Structures are given as C-alpha cells and as structure tokens.
Amino acid sequence: MTSNPIIIGNLKMHPCGDILREYQALCQKESIGLLVPHPYLMMAQALFQDSPIWVGAQGVSEKDVGAYTAQVSAKILKDIGVATVLIGHSETRMTGVDVKAQLMQALGEGLSVIFCVGEEQLMGQKERRLCLEQQLSILPENCNAVIAYEPVWSIGTGKIPKYSHINEAVDVIQSWYKANNTSNSEPVKILYGGSIDNKNCREVLSQTNIDGFLIGGASLKPALMMEVVKKCR
Ligand code: PGA
C-alpha cells in the first residue's frame, strides 16, 4: 500500500460555499486536493491560503481566447493562479467535447493535468485494454499527467471493480506510459475513482497498486472525506 496516497475530491456541480468552509475548519494538517466549480475557484484559493488543501479546476475550454461566452480557458485558470485541471472526466466526455483540444490547451499553459480514462461498461480484459489504450493515445509523448482510472459504470453507483480488475488497468496504464515517455523513467501516478467512501477506501488502497483516489460523492461531506484520509494514511 502506498504510504502517502494522493486524495482528491471532485465537487462536480454542487453549490459548495458551505462545504468549502467546512473543509477549512476540518482539514488543517492533511494535504488533499479539491476540484471545485469554476465560480468557486478564487474563493477556495483564498479560504485555503494557509491550509494544506490545494485547489484545482474541473475542466477547461477547447479554445484559447476570444468570443466564447461562458467558457473558461486555460489562460484564465493560469491568470487566477490555478495550477491543476481535470481533463476528460466521463461526465464531460458525454457532452461531446474535444478532449484532446482541452488537454492541449491545458498543457500549452503549463497546467498540471489529471487525465481520466475508463471503460463505459463491464467488458472483457482485452476489450478493456484496447479501450484504455485508445483513451490514453491522445496524450502527447513525454506528457506529465496524473491518470485517474474511473470505470464509468462504477461512478456514483456503489459498484467497485474486483481488485484484480483495477490492477490490470493499472498495468495497462503503466505499460502504455512507459512506452510513450522516453524522458521519464518514473512510474506514472494513477488514481482510482468510482464509489470510494470511508468504508471501502482502505481495502481498495491496500489491495491494489493505485497511488490514491479521485472521490466524487463522498467529497461533498468533508467529515466523511477526512475519515477517508485518516484511514488511508
Ligand atoms: P464517485 O465519483 O466517487 O461519486 O463515484 C467519482 C468521480 O466521478 O470522479
């Protein structure tokens, strides 16, 4: 089991002013990441200025700059001091966005990327490998990213894949990464996401080769999220 897992909450599209204030009160020592809706980014940065919590965005526009009403570009994130962005979450893929264009915008501005991959439904080992490799293939060579393995059928459903299944996915991602990153011999960091809570987190972490979690639903309850942190570190 990894000794200091990366733990990141994805607050999705939930009103989260009160949730952020609760995190500020509860989380004074443990480093965690919170991916907040765009309008809360600056508030969260100010709230967590003296805290171990870091703040990231949940997505970014495919466009660089200009007349694109309601969109938020990588340049804007950089301008307001946001250093990390989630790219390719299945809930954004569903809207038909150009994930590669978003990724290139984020990397072009020097943002750190958490890149999501994961099959939509339960499938055989070979099909799953091909699906993951195809999703990974949009990452440019020697690209520094954290990969979040999130089987779509596990997100928000309470269903966790078998540990052997998660480990196979980790192997596929590691092998792909090794073959496509000649300048970096370090293994890529891989998070697991999908129905993680305070009850299952320790076992999933201890039985698999992941480096941490990307947590949706449970991250809306700061006390519960802090329990996850306590159980995993
Ligand atoms: P969940 O979401 O923890 O609610 O399953 C995970 C995610 O979408 O990142």
Side-chain angles (χ1 to χ4, degrees):
M1 181 165 128
T2 180
S3 59
N4 194 16
I6 303 165
I7 297 180
I8 302 175
N10 175 8
L11 298 172
K12 304 197 178 179
M13 199 182 71
H14 293 278
C16 53
D18 288 344
I19 296 175
L20 295 176
R21 281 183 281 272
E22 216 180 315
Y23 270 110
Q24 187 202 25
L26 283 180
C27 181
Q28 271 140 17
K29 291 208 187 78
E30 299 287 352
S31 162
I32 61 169
L34 290 178
L35 307 178
V36 305
H38 288 135
Y40 292 97
L41 282 167
M42 292 181 77
M43 170 192 169
Q45 284 174 319
L47 268 179
F48 303 140
Q49 209 173 10
D50 300 316
S51 112
I53 301 177
W54 57 265
V55 177
Q58 297 173 9
V60 78
S61 173
E62 326 170 348
K63 305 294 187 192
D64 183 35
V65 65
Y68 301 103
T69 303
Q71 298 204 36
V72 174
S73 67
K75 278 197 167 60
I76 293 176
L77 293 182
K78 191 172 168 190
D79 195 35
I80 63 166
V82 171
T84 304
V85 63
L86 186 69
I87 301 282
H89 190 283
S90 60
E91 287 153 16
T92 67
R93 279 181 198 267
M94 268 181 229
T95 62
V97 293
D98 182 342
V99 177
K100 179 156 189 179
Q102 295 180 339
L103 173 73
M104 297 320 281
Q105 287 294 334
L107 294 174
E109 291 302 323
L111 302 180
S112 299
V113 166
I114 304 162
F115 186 71
C116 299
V117 295
E119 72 279 6
E120 264 173 46
Q121 68 259 332
L122 262 176
M123 46 177 70
Q125 192 179 348
K126 188 175 165 208
E127 261 181 297
R128 197 162 64 234
R129 177 169 57 77
L130 293 175
C131 167
L132 295 179
E133 285 175 350
Q134 200 240 331
Q135 290 172 341
L136 289 164
S137 70
I138 69 167
L139 290 170
E141 219 176 297
N142 297 321
C143 153
N144 262 333
V146 168
I147 311 292
Y149 172 56
E150 300 207 308
V152 181
W153 55 271
S154 168
I155 296 177
T157 59
K159 293 182 192 155
I160 305 260
K162 287 187 183 142
Y163 303 135
S164 58
H165 171 142
I166 296 178
N167 282 335
E168 271 164 33
V170 167
D171 287 348
V172 169
I173 295 165
Q174 286 298 2
S175 312
W176 186 91
Y177 194 82
K178 210 168 156 201
N180 288 277
N181 283 270
T182 43
S183 69
N184 188 356
S185 54
E186 290 288 304
V188 61
K189 296 280 184 215
I190 302 175
L191 311 179
Y192 167 78
S195 298
I196 288 297
D197 60 23
N198 54 333
K199 295 190 189 76
N200 56 26
C201 58
R202 190 167 171 89
E203 189 167 324
V204 175
L205 196 66
S206 62
Q207 298 295 319
T208 66
N209 301 323
I210 55 167
D211 299 291
F213 293 122
L214 181 56
I215 301 178
S219 71
L220 297 173
K221 299 194 177 105
L224 208 145
M225 183 76 161
M226 296 320 294
E227 242 186 83
V228 170
V229 172
K230 220 192 247 170
K231 287 191 170 164
C232 292
R233 288 192 178 140

